[in-house]
Amino acid sequence: MEFFRNWFQAAILVLTNASWSFPFTRSLYQGPLKVLCSPGLNCYSCPAATVACPLGALQQLLLSIRMNLANGQFYLGFYVIGSMGFLGAIFGRMVCGWACPFGFIQELLHKIPSPKFSVPRPLRYLKYAFLALTVIILPLVVINDFGMGLPWFCKFICPAGTLEAGLPMLFLQPDLQRIIGTLFWSKFTILLFFLGWSVVASRPFCRTTCPLGAWYGLFKKAKVVRLTLDEKKCTHCKECHDVCPMGVKFDESPDDGECITCLRCLNQACRFGAIGLEVGGLPLRAGDIRTIKKES
Amino acid sequence: MARKRPQPPAHKLPLFLLSFFIILFCVGVFVDEPSRVLEQSWQICLSCIGIG
């Protein structure tokens, strides 16, 4: 299953960045698919991007909300929030585990042999602050003389934007190298920090900073596809703790907002059939109890 | 003895949320928000990606 998941992640990475004519056009894809929001974090200023980034699109709508309303355009972000909410209500953070290009890049980096460390648990709450502040409140509230705000998360933080858009654009349009300044180097440092951290810790950006992960995490108790725990079968052997890439203690908190439904606990850890997968309340696959019977 | 009211099934909440966000999505489409998203995603905002 892990092998299938990795291939699925690679397929999503390629499909959301499928415009390979950019070395010749030296510009962005401008086709109709860009009306769709990417399920995961994928910068739409990436020259190869074929879909829009939901966080970028939402910030752009919110920062220009006053001007739009003054012009009689009721662009309040409903389309983007509707897209994000639709995916969240079905999959929750399963999107992070299966369909996020930047999450996949972090997983690949974590395969590099090195000493491995855990991510301190309290840092998980930071991403909710990033969602509230840099994606919603600051773009809405901090405005210039024309009533326009800034896309705070994209502009000052997003390492996916630097990796997928900032760096490629500098190579495609070398003239831009003359105008890079403190902002670029600070974002480049953030990118290097998270790439380096990903080698020694599992998915640090997803766990501490990603506003999209925070959004999907809000659906932890209200999503169609979810992992379930059968308390009667669970022996609290803690094997599910060891395989979880997000540091979830599944036997203690089965509805944890960090669970990306990668299914490692179901397929690689639990030998007692305590973990199952359900869709809309219907069990899709119960844990395989035969394994434990064979062993005993 | 008072009868205990049956709890609604846990899977009702995601279906309610799903319906809510589909309606939100449709309202967004109705006010022509997709065209604005498309317009934004066709342009490169250099300062948004740390350049300029």
Side-chain angles (χ1 to χ4, degrees):
Chain A
M1 184 56 83
E2 186 66 4
F3 180 76
F4 173 71
R5 187 176 72 90
N6 290 155
W7 276 104
F8 191 87
Q9 287 173 297
I12 293 289
L13 174 68
V14 172
L15 284 173
T16 52
N17 295 285
S19 175
W20 288 95
S21 59
F22 69 86
F24 309 104
T25 62
R26 294 185 175 272
S27 189
L28 305 182
Y29 163 74
Q30 293 188 323
L33 284 175
K34 264 199 164 165
V35 75
L36 301 172
C37 289
S38 159
L41 194 68
N42 191 68
C43 184
Y44 60 13
S45 290
C46 170
T50 44
V51 285
C53 172
L55 288 182
L58 183 60
Q59 285 170 87
Q60 290 290 347
L61 288 168
L62 294 180
L63 68 87
S64 58
I65 207 163
R66 288 173 182 79
M67 193 172 278
N68 290 335
L69 288 174
N71 293 330
Q73 296 166 322
F74 294 92
Y75 301 152
L76 304 175
F78 288 164
Y79 170 74
V80 181
I81 295 170
S83 301
M84 289 161 64
F86 176 77
L87 287 173
I90 297 178
F91 301 109
R93 287 201 75 180
M94 190 177 190
V95 174
C96 308
W98 290 73
C100 179
F102 198 64
F104 183 46
I105 290 167
Q106 289 173 83
E107 280 192 19
L108 292 178
L109 287 170
H110 195 59
K111 291 181 192 292
I112 296 172
S114 72
K116 304 297 179 192
F117 301 94
S118 61
V119 175
R121 284 177 75 83
L123 293 182
R124 59 162 62 183
Y125 301 108
L126 272 179
K127 62 180 172 292
Y128 296 98
F130 279 113
L131 172 65
L133 282 174
T134 64
V135 177
I136 300 167
I137 296 171
L138 291 174
L140 267 175
V141 174
V142 182
I143 52 171
N144 62 16
D145 295 340
F146 304 102
M148 296 282 282
L150 290 172
W152 284 72
F153 184 75
C154 295
K155 188 176 171 87
F156 298 109
I157 298 165
C158 188
T162 311
L163 180 68
E164 297 168 0
L167 291 172
M169 289 312 291
L170 288 179
F171 285 105
L172 288 175
Q173 299 180 13
D175 289 347
L176 294 175
Q177 291 173 15
R178 282 180 294 182
I179 57 169
I180 60 173
T182 315
L183 178 63
F184 177 79
W185 292 115
S186 64
K187 283 195 71 183
F188 188 65
T189 307
I190 292 172
L191 171 66
L192 289 182
F193 172 72
F194 278 112
L195 294 184
W197 197 7
S198 300
V199 176
V200 295
S202 176
R203 285 178 166 256
F205 178 76
C206 311
R207 292 162 77 174
T208 63
T209 312
C210 183
L212 199 54
W215 168 262
Y216 290 133
L218 297 175
F219 295 86
K220 61 184 179 181
K221 291 192 183 205
K223 52 187 179 178
V224 174
V225 182
R226 59 200 289 265
L227 284 170
T228 56
L229 179 72
D230 187 336
E231 292 280 0
K232 289 176 190 161
K233 292 177 184 171
C234 181
T235 62
H236 298 283
C237 65
K238 302 193 190 309
E239 283 196 30
C240 52
H241 299 195
D242 298 336
V243 296
C244 182
M246 299 295 281
V248 173
K249 296 174 179 175
F250 191 77
D251 61 327
E252 293 170 17
S253 55
D255 286 323
D256 199 301
E258 296 297 288
C259 176
I260 56 171
T261 322
C262 66
L263 309 182
R264 276 192 205 171
C265 54
L266 173 68
N267 291 304
Q268 295 176 16
C270 190
R271 295 174 291 117
F272 302 96
I275 301 175
L277 181 68
E278 69 171 35
V279 178
L282 301 171
L284 189 68
R285 183 195 154 169
D288 192 0
I289 195 124
R290 282 172 297 180
T291 316
I292 184 66
K293 280 184 177 168
K294 270 184 194 171
E295 282 188 4
S296 63
Chain B
M1 199 170 77
R3 283 182 65 187
K4 202 175 174 182
R5 285 182 69 186
Q7 292 290 312
H11 58 270
K12 286 270 171 73
L13 183 58
L15 294 181
F16 168 75
L17 285 175
L18 202 55
S19 313
F20 172 75
F21 284 113
I22 289 171
I23 292 168
L24 213 57
F25 178 88
C26 292
V27 172
V29 172
F30 180 74
V31 298
D32 200 27
E33 221 173 77
S35 66
R36 181 80 177 119
V37 171
L38 200 57
E39 195 180 298
Q40 290 162 352
S41 61
W42 281 353
Q43 297 164 356
I44 183 160
C45 170
L46 289 176
S47 67
C48 303
I49 57 170
I51 301 172

